[in-house]
Amino acid sequence: MASQPLDPLDPYAYTSGRWLRRDKLERESRFITFDFDALCARVIECSHGAASIKSYEKKEGGFNRVFIFTLDNAKRVVARLPFKLAGPTRLTTGSEVATIRYLQINTSIPIPKIIDWNDNAATPIGTEYILMEHAAGVQLHQRWPTMTSEQQVRCISDIYQKMKDTAAIKFPVYGSLYMENSLPSSASQHVLEDPSFCIGPHCGPMYWDCEVGESRHYHNTAPNRGPWTTLLDYCDGLIDTGISRIPPNDPLLPKRPRYHGTVQEHLSLLQSGRTVLKKLSEDSRVQDAATPTLFHPDLNKRNIFVSDDDPTTVTAIIDWQSAAIEPAFWYADLIPDFAKPIPHPTLEDQLEFNSEQCAKVFNISTQFLTPTLAHPRLMDEAFFRPYRYCYRTWKDGAVAFRDELIHTARRWEELGLADICPYSTPTPEELAAHKKMYQLFLAAQELRSTLSVLLNTATDGWVPPEDWEMVKQAYKEYYDGMLEAVLKNEDADDDEPIRSENDLREIWPFDLELIPSKQPV
């Protein structure tokens, strides 16, 4: 966590922030080795009427580095370079290009034109890239705070008028879109009616060995990345992905919380989960809610551009990386940031009027314009929660998915599911042990959320560079304050999961190197 100056225009290093957890690893995973001069030359070569680059901006998200070049003819060109953690090499870029082109042919969604692209890093530039025209207008997040309630409502309506076409497209299988002849011969693919496109392996990072600090292990299962022809096959993909995260042996380091569980516990839990998911997937209601659907994976204000003159008119929707064909219910509970109700800052237990209006318009718009997504949202979420947690047990801890299976088993008959739940309810002794571990898990989630709010950071510990020194100091102070509260809590009952410094350090979500233990040796 040592401090060092960051050059915001350094084209190779990540300079947009630091992390309170695995800072060095996080930044190294976003370092890109390439020839910046060659990229600039390619931008000019592809920009008719331009002879030079006047200036550039560098922007960075979670999965890409973006350069916005301003040319001497006043045109702007956007270059997108994926980080290694964005997904598999070549497939991630190839799928994004194919998805954009497919949508430009089959829908009216405004997406900036692709000028040039290459999914092969073995070029003079030395990295995969996509060059695009700059989106027309201004990002919605810049205009949103000054828009009237009526303008916000009309804008949301226009967003879903634009998005309704993609939600209505029928696809035969689940996976990611690619262009013909772009996949390696070893990859499975399903050719569409338009033979220029096919559906191939899912290129989302969860299915590949590219996530920061997480390895994949295929001693207990083979890679299973699709495409999947049925919901049952899709379930196998999720479970096999969960199994691939489990190492051969219980690791000694890094130390994990008690609720995490052993290798054998995870394997047994996922095998039970496989039978439950498959039984759920046989239900006609779940099948109806699992229509193979393509939708934007991150439809938030930063990815939406609106007219400079009229912020109710959407001019572009960007960032289609990792958009894939999923069961409709996978997208159904994603609530965009413009549709989330916000508590009123001064009136207790009331919501801001604008945000409440926006939430209502969002619900109406999805109901009438994207009914494929609205239908599963109206169903009991208990039908779908096991799908969302099964593939990440090694990351979350076994207790989280076990809790989902317990609740599913308890509600099996109430949900009207056929036969008997294949997951047996634990014995009273097992339930008592589970409850204790689950309380510790919940305490860990609450601690992460609380620290993120207090420190004004992302939940993964990301901090803007200008706030780094201040946050580091506050970080130590909050630890000391929380530890003092734990040690002085003499009224803690037997169910209190945090009773000592060891308990607090066990679930502390960020790095502890800067915080020496006060526990006596």
Side-chain angles (χ1 to χ4, degrees):
M1 297 180 73
S3 300
Q4 61 186 48
L6 301 177
D7 177 3
L9 286 181
D10 181 343
Y12 313 107
Y14 183 86
T15 58
S16 296
R18 303 287 296 270
W19 279 265
L20 291 170
R21 181 171 181 262
R22 303 184 305 197
D23 179 57
K24 186 173 183 290
L25 181 61
E26 292 283 0
R27 287 186 290 133
E28 286 178 346
S29 69
R30 292 165 172 84
F31 188 91
I32 303 178
T33 302
F34 71 106
D35 189 326
F36 183 65
D37 291 336
L39 176 65
C40 293
R42 186 59 182 161
V43 169
I44 296 170
E45 184 181 350
C46 294
S47 304
H48 301 296
S52 65
I53 293 171
K54 291 181 63 179
S55 64
Y56 76 89
E57 301 173 61
K58 185 180 85 168
K59 297 182 180 292
E60 294 173 304
F63 298 100
N64 300 276
R65 178 161 302 132
V66 174
F67 298 100
I68 303 174
F69 295 100
T70 301
L71 310 179
D72 60 355
N73 62 356
K75 298 288 188 182
R76 287 192 294 174
V77 173
V78 176
R80 286 169 50 85
L81 281 59
F83 299 136
K84 293 178 182 177
L85 53 83
T89 56
R90 307 202 69 166
L91 296 187
T92 301
T93 298
S95 180
E96 182 175 6
V97 170
T99 300
I100 290 172
R101 290 187 170 172
Y102 184 89
L103 292 172
Q104 287 173 331
I105 292 171
N106 293 283
T107 75
S108 59
I109 299 172
I111 306 174
K113 178 184 176 182
I114 295 175
I115 301 170
D116 185 43
W117 68 284
N118 202 318
D119 63 355
N120 189 351
T123 66
I125 294 175
T127 185
E128 302 176 41
Y129 67 88
I130 301 175
L131 302 184
M132 306 181 74
E133 293 180 345
H134 194 281
V138 61
Q139 281 180 300
L140 179 58
H141 84 95
Q142 295 177 313
R143 295 298 305 271
W144 192 259
T146 61
M147 291 167 63
T148 66
S149 175
E150 181 185 359
Q151 286 176 322
Q152 291 176 346
V153 164
R154 288 169 58 196
C155 182
I156 293 173
S157 178
D158 194 48
I159 291 169
Y160 282 87
Q161 285 288 347
K162 299 286 195 300
M163 291 298 299
K164 67 178 181 180
D165 291 344
T166 182
I169 299 174
K170 297 186 184 302
F171 292 99
V173 300
Y174 308 101
S176 293
L177 277 169
Y178 300 90
M179 288 180 289
E180 61 174 337
N181 303 321
S182 66
L183 289 171
S185 57
S186 59
S188 300
Q189 56 184 286
H190 185 102
V191 179
L192 299 178
E193 289 184 7
D194 179 348
S196 301
F197 298 93
C198 66
I199 300 175
H202 198 302
C203 65
M206 62 183 266
Y207 292 101
W208 300 83
D209 192 2
C210 60
E211 294 183 298
V212 180
E214 293 186 39
S215 298
R216 293 293 187 268
H217 309 275
Y218 295 109
H219 56 286
N220 282 317
T221 185
N224 188 347
R225 299 155 179 156
W228 303 285
T229 56
T230 68
L231 183 58
L232 294 176
D233 294 336
Y234 182 88
C235 292
D236 278 332
L238 292 176
I239 294 294
D240 290 339
T241 294
I243 293 174
S244 74
R245 292 183 170 190
I246 303 172
N249 302 299
D250 287 310
L252 297 177
L253 294 173
K255 185 178 179 181
R256 295 179 179 274
R258 281 165 285 167
Y259 61 72
H260 185 268
T262 65
V263 162
Q264 191 52 50
E265 284 177 314
H266 281 265
L267 291 173
S268 176
L269 189 66
L270 285 171
Q271 291 303 343
S272 296
R274 192 190 300 272
T275 59
V276 171
L277 286 190
K278 291 202 167 189
K279 197 66 180 175
L280 279 171
S281 299
E282 293 173 358
D283 188 271
S284 60
R285 294 164 295 175
V286 174
Q287 291 177 7
D288 289 343
T291 303
T293 304
L294 176 67
F295 204 70
H296 197 290
D298 187 20
L299 193 63
N300 289 310
K301 295 194 289 281
R302 289 184 180 274
N303 289 328
I304 299 169
F305 282 70
V306 295
S307 168
D308 287 302
D309 302 321
D310 180 5
T312 69
T313 300
V314 175
T315 56
I317 298 177
I318 65 168
D319 196 1
W320 292 86
Q321 187 181 69
S322 296
I325 299 157
E326 311 271 12
F329 64 71
W330 193 263
Y331 292 114
D333 63 349
L334 299 181
I335 309 298
D337 56 3
F338 54 77
K340 291 180 179 178
I342 303 171
H344 195 284
T346 57
L347 300 177
E348 190 175 353
D349 297 328
Q350 290 192 33
L351 301 173
E352 287 189 5
F353 174 75
N354 282 18
S355 72
E356 199 166 10
Q357 287 287 97
C358 290
K360 290 178 180 178
V361 173
F362 164 74
N363 288 328
I364 293 171
S365 296
T366 55
Q367 181 179 351
F368 289 100
L369 298 176
T370 58
T372 303
L373 303 183
H375 168 61
R377 186 179 292 117
L378 298 175
M379 294 173 61
D380 193 314
E381 65 174 5
F383 284 107
F384 310 121
R385 286 177 62 90
Y387 295 88
R388 289 206 165 275
Y389 292 96
C390 63
Y391 67 91
R392 46 184 297 146
T393 68
W394 192 255
K395 184 174 184 176
D396 295 340
V399 69
F401 187 47
R402 182 182 296 115
D403 197 69
E404 293 299 334
L405 293 182
I406 290 172
H407 281 285
T408 299
R410 284 174 170 170
R411 297 196 59 199
W412 194 265
E413 186 175 346
E414 176 192 345
L415 293 170
L417 294 163
D419 303 323
I420 300 172
C421 179
Y423 181 73
S424 301
T425 303
T427 64
E429 293 77 15
E430 291 170 335
L431 279 174
H434 166 77
K435 180 182 177 182
K436 187 173 182 179
M437 289 298 101
Y438 192 65
Q439 285 176 330
L440 188 64
F441 169 77
L442 292 179
Q445 308 312 304
E446 184 178 354
L447 177 60
R448 179 185 293 271
S449 177
T450 299
L451 279 174
S452 298
V453 172
L454 291 174
L455 296 169
N456 195 27
T457 71
T459 54
D460 64 354
W462 181 88
V463 181
E466 63 271 18
D467 297 338
W468 179 244
E469 294 300 332
M470 178 184 65
V471 168
K472 278 200 303 179
Q473 181 59 38
Y475 175 72
K476 300 177 193 177
E477 293 173 359
Y478 281 127
Y479 176 86
D480 290 340
M482 290 183 179
L483 176 59
E484 184 178 5
V486 168
L487 297 179
K488 287 185 175 180
N489 185 13
E490 298 177 355
D491 297 327
D493 56 34
D494 292 339
D495 290 332
E496 171 58 52
I498 312 301
R499 307 171 67 88
S500 69
E501 182 177 7
N502 284 339
D503 293 339
L504 182 63
R505 293 177 76 89
E506 179 182 1
I507 65 169
W508 194 258
F510 305 133
D511 289 341
L512 285 162
E513 282 82 354
L514 286 180
I515 306 174
S517 173
K518 295 185 169 83
Q519 194 79 14
V521 178

